[in-house]
Amino acid sequence: MQKEYYDEINIARGLGVLLVLLGHSFPDAEIGVFAHPLYRWGYDACYSFHMALFFMISGFVMGRRFYSAEYKLTYEIVKKIKRLLIPYLFLAYLSLLPKIVLNAYARNPVDTNSAIRVLLGQSPNGSLWYLYTLFLLSVLVLCLGRAISCFGEAFKNICLLFLGTGGYVLYVFAGAFGQNPFFFDKICRYLIFYVLGILLYRYYDRAKRMQYVTMAVIALGLVMLFTNPYVHVKVDYMITALLGIYGILVIAKSLTEHKESKGYRFLNGCGTRSYDIYIISYYVQQTIRVICFRIWGWEYPVVFLMEFCLGFSLSYLFSVYVLRRSRLLKRILIGVWEG
């Protein structure tokens, strides 16, 4: 199956990974973020939609495969194991040792059961939950696609929407009753956005006709309004996520009209290496947090800027000059087995 490439999706991925870096740059949220309204605003704005954006993009990439069903299920699952599960397991267990040594400074301390919990999606490396959840969602949708491959498009759409909305309802009610295991929580919360990504792929030509820059600015403005700690407006995560996704996609689309610009080239590079940056930046940012904030006690704004700037620059340089030049590292860290 020939791969399709959409410039705007890659730009959206680049914008998304910058938002992830920004959200991860707030050291010890309970100390800094909730002690200062400005920090909390930035933190809440990032977390109100940035991971939903990534799951939507992943669903978009899955779209053609799902509707065509031109795949062997076992082959595709093995690909997902290589791409997502092997990096997850390797990095999760690799993270246990430094966590044990520096347990007193860890945001999420480990214990004797941590090695077992890794298999249930509870990694000592907090950023790896995305790989684990995406793996399970991908396998679920691949299995669904094969099971209903003989049915028409309308039936497939109904199944997708039923699955996605059902998952989100379970997420909301399970949270209300306090019965929300970690992996179940993430799967149910983000399944709807993965499904919407698949549907967006199928009807992308129509969706592009509803992309207006003015509306995108308004959508992102509403996200900032709803997450403003001074406004005290409570809305469901679904609302801010959809507004944020729409805003980012439209802005990404508008940037593709200026491919000669530095902004486009920068974000295109970020999108191409978003997986690398996401994986590597955790270790850069956590090292800065432990040493500069917890041990040396540097000022919060300084550590925040260091985590964001160095988290991005060092991760990008490592991707260019080390990671992508090593066949072994590409396989175990980002699941790239071809080439």
Side-chain angles (χ1 to χ4, degrees):
M1 184 181 295
Q2 185 178 359
K3 291 184 178 180
E4 295 177 296
Y5 186 82
Y6 295 83
D7 284 339
E8 59 269 33
I9 295 300
N10 198 50
I11 297 299
R13 191 184 286 116
L15 289 167
V17 79
L18 291 179
L19 289 172
V20 169
L21 277 170
L22 186 64
H24 289 176
S25 296
F26 294 94
D28 291 8
E30 68 279 3
I31 297 175
V33 171
F34 300 110
H36 195 291
L38 183 61
Y39 295 145
R40 181 171 185 175
W41 191 5
Y43 181 89
D44 288 346
C46 287
Y47 279 87
S48 67
F49 72 89
H50 70 333
M51 293 314 300
L53 172 66
F54 269 109
F55 282 102
M56 187 283 304
I57 292 173
S58 297
F60 187 94
V61 174
M62 173 68 77
R64 183 183 180 188
R65 187 175 292 106
F66 176 83
Y67 280 104
S68 68
E70 296 175 358
Y71 59 85
K72 293 182 179 179
L73 183 59
T74 54
Y75 175 75
E76 291 297 328
I77 291 177
V78 169
K79 282 177 60 178
K80 293 303 178 184
I81 290 173
K82 290 179 177 180
R83 180 63 169 164
L84 299 168
L85 196 57
I86 289 178
Y88 165 78
L89 292 172
F90 176 80
L91 291 167
Y93 285 116
L94 182 67
S95 301
L96 280 176
L97 181 59
K99 282 271 190 175
I100 293 172
V101 174
L102 299 172
N103 221 25
Y105 302 102
R107 185 182 302 172
N108 301 306
V110 299
D111 55 33
T112 54
N113 295 320
S114 295
I116 298 175
R117 287 201 295 268
V118 165
L119 301 176
L120 298 177
Q122 300 182 45
S123 166
N125 178 336
S127 65
L128 294 179
W129 70 268
Y130 170 68
L131 303 187
Y132 184 87
T133 305
L134 183 56
F135 170 75
L136 294 178
L137 290 182
S138 300
V139 172
L140 174 63
V141 170
L142 284 168
C143 291
L144 175 65
R146 290 303 300 161
I148 62 175
S149 60
C150 59
F151 292 92
E153 182 179 307
F155 183 79
K156 292 179 180 180
N157 293 343
I158 293 172
C159 290
L160 283 173
L161 289 173
F162 179 81
L163 186 67
T165 54
Y168 198 79
V169 169
L170 285 175
Y171 160 72
V172 172
F173 279 96
F177 290 104
Q179 300 172 353
N180 229 339
F182 182 85
F183 63 95
F184 180 77
D185 170 277
K186 300 300 184 184
I187 292 170
C188 291
R189 185 181 196 185
Y190 293 107
L191 176 58
I192 182 62
F193 302 106
Y194 193 85
V195 163
L196 290 176
I198 296 174
L199 293 169
L200 177 63
Y201 167 83
R202 181 63 187 88
Y203 302 103
Y204 192 52
D205 289 338
R206 300 181 193 177
K208 284 192 292 187
R209 294 197 287 267
M210 296 184 289
Q211 295 182 7
Y212 306 102
V213 174
T214 302
M215 293 298 295
V217 172
I218 293 174
L220 294 175
L222 287 173
V223 171
M224 298 304 295
L225 174 66
F226 294 148
T227 55
N228 189 326
Y230 294 106
V231 175
H232 303 295
V233 176
K234 289 290 185 180
V235 296
D236 187 76
Y237 177 78
M238 178 71 71
I239 295 175
T240 57
L242 292 177
L243 288 170
I245 289 171
Y246 176 79
I248 293 296
L249 286 179
V250 175
I251 289 174
K253 179 62 178 176
S254 67
L255 287 171
T256 60
E257 300 172 2
H258 306 279
K259 294 184 179 182
E260 73 287 349
S261 67
K262 293 181 179 179
Y264 171 85
R265 292 197 295 269
F266 171 74
L267 290 172
N268 191 50
C270 292
T272 302
R273 300 182 184 275
S274 59
Y275 195 172
D276 313 34
I277 295 169
Y278 184 88
I279 293 297
I280 304 303
S281 62
Y282 171 86
Y283 298 96
V284 177
Q285 291 180 310
Q286 288 302 304
T287 300
I288 295 172
R289 183 190 72 84
V290 170
I291 295 176
C292 298
F293 188 67
R294 296 300 298 272
I295 297 178
W296 291 348
W298 287 12
E299 292 295 323
Y300 197 90
V302 175
V303 178
F304 169 78
L305 289 174
M306 287 181 63
E307 286 202 32
F308 181 75
C309 296
L310 293 179
F312 171 77
S313 57
L314 294 182
S315 300
Y316 192 91
L317 291 173
F318 184 84
S319 171
V320 173
Y321 295 107
V322 180
L323 177 55
R324 292 283 175 164
R325 297 186 178 187
S326 168
R327 178 178 297 181
L328 176 61
L329 289 180
K330 284 195 298 184
R331 288 181 173 181
I332 63 177
L333 294 184
I334 57 174
V336 175
W337 288 69
E338 299 79 14

